[in-house]
Amino acid sequence: MRRIATYLTGMILLLAPAAQAQVERSVCLEGLLSLQSGNSAEAITQLQTCLDTEELEPEIEADIHSALGAAYLFEERYGEALIEINTTFAIAANMQAEITDGTLWRNRGIARSELNMIDPALDDFQRAAQLTPNDFMVHLNLGILYQGMERHTEAVVAFDRVVQLQPGWVGAWLNRSGALLDAGITAAAVQDARRAVELEPENGSTLNMLCWTLIQDGRAETALPLCEMAVEAEPDIGAIVHSLATAKDRLGENREARRLFARAYRLSPEDPEITADYNRTHNP
């Protein structure tokens, strides 16, 4: 659904391979430690130097390629990430070894999904879920992929698992609320949005989710003060301004709604739902 951006703020997206104990050469170990500390740009340079200059045993070489793939993912260089991760799989295949690290399957799924390789990404996430069923990031990415495929019921199931594993993380509730809304289970979507607001009552995204789910539940009057609070918290987010405009529109406050639809359009002209409402109210 357009309105609910994937909520990943503050979460660790990727995990570095646990290869440090096997690596004695300084540049290789430095690269792994840089990745672990979140310095992915430096890790890329160090790990590439490691591969270019050191004679590595196949198992360690596979770990370095895997770590380099993770570093590229952090940098959103998905094509290069996929090459490195596929190299890890190729080394394992040459060794006739099975990859049982769910993180590697998950990371390849992320790279593939970002490159719009949907079916292979789905296979990777499903395999990762089998290997590491308690890795909430696997289920989060699986749910996001299902939403993009408009397989809403399966997205709800995936986000159910995220909620079970991370009940104190607001993103778990926001993502499931969005999936429930897409699936037409509006009352449950409202309840999840309420839970998100309880966790972060001053967060514009949580306030907006509750605002929007209430509007979709036919309760624009109840939604309105929440929409106003969301805009006050995040005045420059087009989707949040659009929610307030929609509440005003549903309540018959046409002039104010029209002004807000125009403001939302100025902020997010690329959004098809915002554009449609802007055209409806300004170019009838």
Side-chain angles (χ1 to χ4, degrees), residues 1-272:
M1 181 183 177
R2 186 276 307 170
R3 179 159 305 277
I4 310 306
T6 304
Y7 195 94
L8 292 171
T9 303
M11 305 309 297
I12 297 173
L13 184 59
L14 305 163
L15 301 175
Q20 290 92 323
Q22 303 178 55
V23 178
E24 297 178 357
R25 298 171 181 84
S26 60
V27 69
C28 303
L29 181 56
E30 286 172 4
L32 293 171
L33 294 175
S34 292
L35 178 60
Q36 190 175 58
S37 66
N39 192 342
S40 53
E42 185 173 351
I44 289 171
T45 300
Q46 293 166 330
L47 293 170
Q48 191 60 66
T49 300
C50 170
L51 290 169
D52 291 342
T53 62
E54 302 291 345
E55 292 291 332
L56 303 172
E57 295 297 324
E59 296 92 339
I60 296 177
E61 182 183 356
D63 281 330
I64 297 300
H65 281 290
S66 174
L68 184 54
Y72 278 130
L73 281 182
F74 270 117
E75 293 294 306
E76 299 182 1
R77 294 164 63 175
Y78 300 113
E80 291 158 296
L82 183 57
I83 290 171
E84 297 301 327
I85 296 169
N86 278 341
T87 300
T88 303
F89 277 88
I91 294 171
N94 288 337
M95 296 172 61
Q96 296 184 323
E98 181 182 2
I99 292 179
T100 58
D101 180 1
T103 300
L104 192 58
W105 292 90
R106 182 196 72 197
N107 286 358
R108 189 169 73 170
I110 293 171
R112 284 174 158 175
S113 63
E114 292 290 345
L115 294 168
N116 206 34
M117 302 167 65
I118 301 304
D119 289 337
L122 181 58
D123 291 341
D124 282 344
F125 288 138
Q126 289 174 335
R127 179 66 172 147
Q130 294 171 353
L131 292 169
T132 51
N134 292 328
D135 180 353
F136 84 96
M137 289 298 296
V138 172
H139 301 284
L140 178 63
N141 280 283
L142 191 55
I144 293 166
L145 193 65
Y146 279 136
Q147 277 192 296
M149 299 171 73
E150 297 189 355
R151 293 167 61 170
H152 303 307
T153 301
E154 289 159 297
V156 170
V157 172
F159 291 136
D160 279 345
R161 186 66 177 143
V162 178
V163 168
Q164 291 168 13
L165 293 168
Q166 292 286 325
W169 177 47
V170 68
W173 300 94
L174 288 177
N175 279 291
R176 191 173 70 174
S177 180
L180 287 164
L181 203 58
D182 287 346
I185 312 173
T186 309
V190 171
Q191 291 306 309
D192 274 8
R194 287 193 190 281
R195 178 57 178 150
V197 170
E198 289 172 5
L199 289 170
E200 295 191 14
E202 297 181 0
N203 184 314
S205 294
T206 64
L207 292 164
N208 180 61
M209 175 62 91
L210 184 52
C211 151
W212 185 249
T213 55
L214 285 167
I215 290 171
Q216 300 310 303
D217 199 40
R219 291 186 275 170
E221 187 172 0
T222 303
L224 182 58
L226 293 159
C227 303
E228 292 171 336
M229 291 168 63
V231 170
E232 184 176 352
E234 297 283 356
D236 298 323
I237 304 298
I240 293 179
V241 175
H242 178 264
S243 295
L244 177 57
T246 303
K248 296 277 189 180
D249 192 45
R250 299 282 176 90
L251 293 171
E253 299 181 29
N254 297 24
R255 179 174 296 182
E256 181 65 5
R258 188 172 184 273
R259 183 187 68 81
L260 288 165
F261 281 133
R263 178 178 162 190
Y265 180 71
R266 287 195 300 272
L267 290 168
S268 300
E270 76 288 348
D271 188 298

